């Protein structure tokens, strides 16, 4: 187990190196991107968004896909969901075309690092601090559905789709580093929304982790488990972790909205729609589990889906022992 974890740590460390080395070699300050630097460096300096998409396609879509096929496990993209936004932020910030208000840029960097640290910690905690222990259950289900065609379908379902989501929701990071408009009131609102989203997601995920851990201990002791989590934030929302995550991305969008890039709402909107679909899949999965189906149906009737709200009155469920 330790050897496998070490191997996966090495893989996780090595896979982003092609993009990093390319950036260090060819993306140079405008003063250096002249005839001396060559046409490639000049093109990179003039096309920040195109280059970001090209690097994502080659390094994540193609390379991660090949690694996933070799390992028969597409776990890498889950880990890098927490890392790629940080890399994109610093790519936009350090790009020759960057122009930003210093305060707004510093706040964006601090917020994104805190968001990434929270999500990375939650991912590793959920996986028992073992990299590559398992792949996302949705990918596992699709693997079974597509059978022999999964090897090539996974390129589109797991990787190319992630490019649309991640590049899209990270567009405000590009907007922040494309305008030196002074810090204003709406930047405060955006910051408050981002902080609230991070805090809500952190507490929701921590409460969920404690619930899962408690039920695992009860199973080991042969005692009845608790069918649904209805304490803390989960008393007011069936998916407070999803709500917090969406609040973070919509808060980040407010920075772009304030800078006149209102069309960038497409990124968080598509991500919210995707998460809405995931919510449906998660709840269907819960209802398929016989020991918690009755309690979860009642939980659905009483509790808001995403936005935390007061509970509706309903009779208490009959608890089933497992």
């Amino acid at each position: 187990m330790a050897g496998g974890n070490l191997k996966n740590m090495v893989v996780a460390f090595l896979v982003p190196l092609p993009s990093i080395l390319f950036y260090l070699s060819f993306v140079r300050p405008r003063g250096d991107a002249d005839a001396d630097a060559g046409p490639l460096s000049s093109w990179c300096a003039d096309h920040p968004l195109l280059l970001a998409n090209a690097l994502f396609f080659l390094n994540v879509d193609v390379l991660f896909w090949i690694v996933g096929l070799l390992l028969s496990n597409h776990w890498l993209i889950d880990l890098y969901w927490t890392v790629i936004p940080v890399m994109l932020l610093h790519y936009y910030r350090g790009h020759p075309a960057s122009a930003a208000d210093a305060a707004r840029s510093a706040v964006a960097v601090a917020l994104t690092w805190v968001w990434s640290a929270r999500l990375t910690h939650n991912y590793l905690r959920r996986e028992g601090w073992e990299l590559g222990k398992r792949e996302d259950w949705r990918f596992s289900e699709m693997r079974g559905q597509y059978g022999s065609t999964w090897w090539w379908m996974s390129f589109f379902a797991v990787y190319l789709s992630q490019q649309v989501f991640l590049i899209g929701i990270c567009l405000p990071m590009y907007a922040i580093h494309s305008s030196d408009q002074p810090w204003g009131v709406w930047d405060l609102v955006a910051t408050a929304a981002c902080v609230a989203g991070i805090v809500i997601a952190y507490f929701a995920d921590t409460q969920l982790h404690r619930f899962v851990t408690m039920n695992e201990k009860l199973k080991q002791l042969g005692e009845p488990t608790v069918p649904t989590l209805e304490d803390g934030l989960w008393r007011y929302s069936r998916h407070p972790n999803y709500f917090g995550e969406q609040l973070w991305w919509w808060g980040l969008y407010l920075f772009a909205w304030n800078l006149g890039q209102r069309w960038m709402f497409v990124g968080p909107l598509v991500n919210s729609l995707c998460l809405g679909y995931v919510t449906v899949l998660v709840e269907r999965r819960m209802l398929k589990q016989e020991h918690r189906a009755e309690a979860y149906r009642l939980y659905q009737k009483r509790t808001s889906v995403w936005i935390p709200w007061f509970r509706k009155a309903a009779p208490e469920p009959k608890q089933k022992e497992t």
Side-chain angles (χ1 to χ4, degrees):
M1 187 68 71
N5 196 35
L6 179 60
K7 178 193 73 175
N8 289 335
M9 287 176 65
V10 172
V11 170
F13 175 78
L14 293 177
V15 286
L17 289 184
S19 288
I20 294 172
L21 293 175
F22 182 92
Y23 182 90
L24 294 175
S25 300
F26 296 103
V27 183
R28 303 173 182 177
R30 282 195 179 277
D32 299 333
D34 48 22
D36 250 3
L40 182 56
S41 289
S42 298
W43 185 90
C44 291
D46 293 334
H47 301 88
L49 278 177
L50 284 176
L51 177 59
N53 276 280
L55 291 177
F56 196 111
F57 179 81
L58 295 172
N59 200 157
V60 179
D61 295 348
V62 176
L63 181 58
F64 279 34
W65 175 60
I66 292 173
V67 172
L69 292 179
L70 293 174
L71 297 177
S72 297
N73 187 333
H74 297 292
W75 63 272
L76 264 176
I77 193 64
D78 278 346
L79 172 64
Y80 270 90
W81 244 94
T82 74
V83 178
I84 289 173
V86 174
M87 297 179 73
L88 281 171
L89 172 70
H90 284 283
Y91 163 82
Y92 292 134
R93 188 169 184 256
H95 193 275
S98 174
D101 174 75
R104 186 180 297 111
S105 177
V107 168
V109 169
L111 288 172
T112 306
W113 272 95
V114 171
W115 169 85
S116 177
R118 180 206 73 78
L119 199 57
T120 303
H121 172 263
N122 184 63
Y123 168 79
L124 294 173
R125 177 177 60 182
R126 187 187 69 212
E127 299 301 309
W129 303 94
E130 291 183 31
L131 291 177
K133 182 178 180 180
R134 57 185 176 182
E135 67 180 359
D136 190 292
W137 62 269
R138 291 162 293 185
F139 302 157
S140 297
E141 286 191 357
M142 286 190 282
R143 183 188 297 275
Q145 290 171 2
Y146 290 106
S148 61
T149 62
W150 176 240
W151 74 271
W152 64 268
M153 283 294 296
S154 60
F155 177 78
F156 301 95
V158 179
Y159 299 101
L160 197 60
S161 62
Q162 305 291 353
Q163 177 163 352
V164 176
F165 296 144
L166 276 169
I167 293 290
I169 57 179
C170 290
L171 280 173
M173 298 173 182
Y174 174 67
I176 289 169
H177 294 97
S178 299
S179 171
D180 56 2
Q181 175 180 312
W183 178 274
V185 174
W186 278 106
D187 293 300
L188 288 174
V189 175
T191 301
C194 288
V195 170
I198 293 171
V199 171
I200 291 171
Y202 169 77
F203 281 106
D205 281 332
T206 298
Q207 290 162 5
L208 178 60
H209 176 72
R210 288 173 181 166
F211 173 77
V212 171
T213 303
M214 177 192 68
N215 269 347
E216 287 175 351
K217 290 180 179 177
L218 290 173
K219 281 182 182 178
Q220 292 172 1
L221 295 172
E223 297 182 6
T225 58
V226 181
T228 57
L229 171 57
E230 301 187 45
D231 297 325
L233 292 170
W234 297 81
R235 181 176 179 81
Y236 306 100
S237 168
R238 303 203 299 270
H239 303 278
N241 50 347
Y242 292 176
F243 172 73
E245 185 70 4
Q246 291 308 292
L247 185 57
W248 149 259
W249 289 115
W250 282 102
L252 192 66
Y253 163 69
L254 285 178
F255 285 110
W257 180 86
N258 182 45
L259 295 171
Q261 301 292 342
R262 301 186 178 185
W263 65 272
M264 290 184 180
F265 79 92
V266 173
L269 177 61
V270 169
N271 195 54
S272 292
L273 292 173
C274 177
L275 201 53
Y277 177 63
V278 171
T279 299
V280 172
L281 295 181
V282 169
E283 298 210 339
R284 285 178 182 171
R285 196 177 188 216
M286 296 290 283
L287 293 172
K288 288 179 181 178
Q289 300 175 28
E290 186 178 348
H291 70 281
R292 61 165 41 119
E294 182 181 345
Y296 199 79
R297 286 192 189 94
L298 183 57
Y299 182 53
Q300 287 177 310
K301 294 176 181 178
R302 301 178 68 188
T303 313
S304 170
V305 182
W306 271 8
I307 301 174
W309 194 248
F310 298 104
R311 307 188 84 187
K312 298 176 183 177
E316 291 295 332
K318 295 178 181 178
Q319 301 290 335
K320 282 191 176 183
E321 294 187 359
T322 58

